[in-house]
């Protein structure tokens, strides 16, 4: 549908079995791109092979791939990450800043929020987005062939809510960063946009349920309640799936969105429209 043949993409935080990153990486490959994927570690869990499994899926689609371990919050590791992609594939056209700090310990009232927990969320979500974008933008400008940067914000980047302060602050900031960077890079034919998913069915929802559940309720039961409540409150009648976000990312990665930049687009089935 979108022609990404000849393009090279990097998706961060793409090693999770049910994650948005895995779905985006696969979708960009389906559209024809070669796709490097990165995560903190290449961790195999029961029944799931981590980053290496995502690489294998992409290669099965006859696209080139590479899995790279890198902490998006570490400047040196990010510089090395981008350099590795360029060394292997010759260039980088599309960066998807998808990595996100685990949900859980941060989902407490501000009066109970530890500085270290606050810092971890900002470090991964915000500093990581900045560091990866900066390294990619330097290369894209020098190469003079245009480019796409897609940042993962959230509907929590548009509206604050209790017990989400650290997460909301990071996702609001990503929207401000996206708008600022889009103006700087527009003359270089590099579009910078943010996606703002609503609740999406990934491993992260279990972390949220575990942190938010009332006493005496199991994580699994509360997770089901959360999903059912968010689904019935959504005009579409369900919560999002990773592929819903991947489709939007494919559009933003393609030339079809060439005149769109600086936007923060809800991917929320109509539950959020601004
Ligand atoms: P997830 O927690 O399943 O995946 C996040 C990935 O980021 C994991 O693979 C994790 O290992 C990786 N990561 C964490 N710290 C890292 C670091 N320092 N360096 C590199 N990688 C690191 O999350 P998800 O639900 O797939 O969400 C992906 C993105 O979408 C996140 O930015 C999240 O905030 C955002 N988002 C998710 C939802 C949702 O409901 N699932 C909604 C809105 C926005």
């Amino acid at each position: 549908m979108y022609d990404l043949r000849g393009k090279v993409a990097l998706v961060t935080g793409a090693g999770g079995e049910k994650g948005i990153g895995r779905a985006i990486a696969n979708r960009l490959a389906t559209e024809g791109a070669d796709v490097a994927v990165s995560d903190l570690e290449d961790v195999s869990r029961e029944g799931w092979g981590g980053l290496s499994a995502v690489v294998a899926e992409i290669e099965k689609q006859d696209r080139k791939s590479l899995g790279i371990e890198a902490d998006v919050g570490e400047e040196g590791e990010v510089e090395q990450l981008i350099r590795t992609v360029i060394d292997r594939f010759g260039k980088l056209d599309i960066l998807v800043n998808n990595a996100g700090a685990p949900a859980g310990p941060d989902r407490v009232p501000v009066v109970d929020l530890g500085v270290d927990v606050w810092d971890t969320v900002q470090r991964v979500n915000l500093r990581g987005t900045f560091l990866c974008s900066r390294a990619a933008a330097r290369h894209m400008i020098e190469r003079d062939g245009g480019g796409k940067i897609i940042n993962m914000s959230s509907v929590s980047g548009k509206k604050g809510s209790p017990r989400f302060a650290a997460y909301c602050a990071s996702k609001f900031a990503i929207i401000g960063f996206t708008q600022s960077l889009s103006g700087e890079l527009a003359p270089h034919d590099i579009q910078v946009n943010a996606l703002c998913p609503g609740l999406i069915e990934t491993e992260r929802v279990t972390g949220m349920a575990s942190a938010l559940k009332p006493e005496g309720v199991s994580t699994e039961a509360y997770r089901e309640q959360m999903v059912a409540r968010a689904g019935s409150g959504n005009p579409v009648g369900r919560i999002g799936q990773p592929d819903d976000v991947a489709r939007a990312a494919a559009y933003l990665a393609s030339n079809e969105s060439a005149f769109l930049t600086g936007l923060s687009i809800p991917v929320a089935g109509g539950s959020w429209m601004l």
Side-chain angles (χ1 to χ4, degrees):
M1 189 178 175
Y2 302 111
D3 189 0
L4 299 182
R5 283 173 300 177
K7 302 290 184 190
V8 175
L10 166 65
V11 183
T12 67
E17 181 181 7
K18 301 194 175 105
I20 293 171
R22 176 189 176 192
I24 292 177
N26 268 291
R27 181 64 194 235
L28 297 183
T30 305
E31 303 294 347
D34 293 326
V35 186
V37 287
S38 75
D39 210 308
L40 205 45
E41 293 172 296
D42 185 2
V43 188
S44 293
R45 294 196 180 82
E46 212 179 321
W48 173 242
L51 264 188
S52 305
V54 182
V55 168
E57 287 176 334
I58 293 165
E59 288 176 343
K60 221 171 150 189
Q61 298 195 58
D62 283 333
R63 307 315 323 162
K64 290 190 202 127
S65 186
L66 178 66
I68 307 161
E69 289 184 13
D71 179 347
V72 295
E74 275 300 321
E75 184 178 15
E77 291 190 30
V78 169
E79 295 294 323
Q80 185 60 41
L81 167 66
I82 302 294
R83 216 171 13 250
T84 303
V85 175
I86 295 164
D87 285 351
R88 171 65 79 96
F89 298 100
K91 60 173 182 165
L92 175 63
D93 300 290
I94 300 158
L95 168 68
V96 184
N97 283 310
N98 170 75
D106 59 319
R107 301 301 153 92
V108 295
V110 171
V111 290
D112 299 324
L113 186 58
V115 172
D116 53 339
V117 176
W118 168 272
D119 284 347
T120 298
V121 174
Q122 311 314 324
R123 185 177 166 282
V124 179
N125 296 4
L126 184 55
R127 180 180 154 107
T129 297
F130 155 62
L131 288 174
C132 293
S133 298
R134 187 182 67 173
R138 284 174 176 163
H139 161 71
M140 288 172 182
I141 290 169
E142 192 187 333
R143 194 177 149 258
D144 199 19
K148 302 279 189 177
I149 297 177
I150 300 166
N151 295 327
M152 205 54 73
S153 180
S154 168
V155 292
S156 295
K158 301 207 173 229
K159 184 178 182 294
S161 44
R163 301 178 68 165
F164 275 66
Y167 185 71
C168 286
S170 73
K171 295 298 185 181
F172 268 72
I174 286 173
I175 290 178
F177 177 75
T178 299
Q179 292 180 1
S180 299
L181 186 63
S182 71
E184 294 175 12
L185 298 186
H188 301 281
D189 191 25
I190 302 165
Q191 289 84 49
V192 187
N193 291 290
L195 289 173
C196 299
L199 192 66
I200 306 292
E201 182 98 53
T202 70
E203 282 123 342
R204 150 179 306 268
V205 181
T206 307
M208 282 164 63
S210 157
L212 297 172
K213 70 186 169 68
E215 231 177 278
V217 179
S218 74
T219 297
E220 197 40 53
Y222 194 65
R223 187 187 198 281
E224 271 177 37
Q225 282 176 34
M226 275 174 57
V227 168
R229 207 169 33 235
S232 63
N234 189 305
V236 172
R238 64 170 177 88
I239 69 163
Q241 296 297 321
D243 277 344
D244 292 313
V245 185
R247 279 196 291 273
Y251 171 62
L252 289 180
S254 77
N255 278 339
E256 302 304 311
S257 60
F259 202 53
L260 274 62
T261 197
L263 302 180
S264 44
I265 302 171
V267 185
S271 62
W272 191 260
M273 299 184 183
L274 301 173

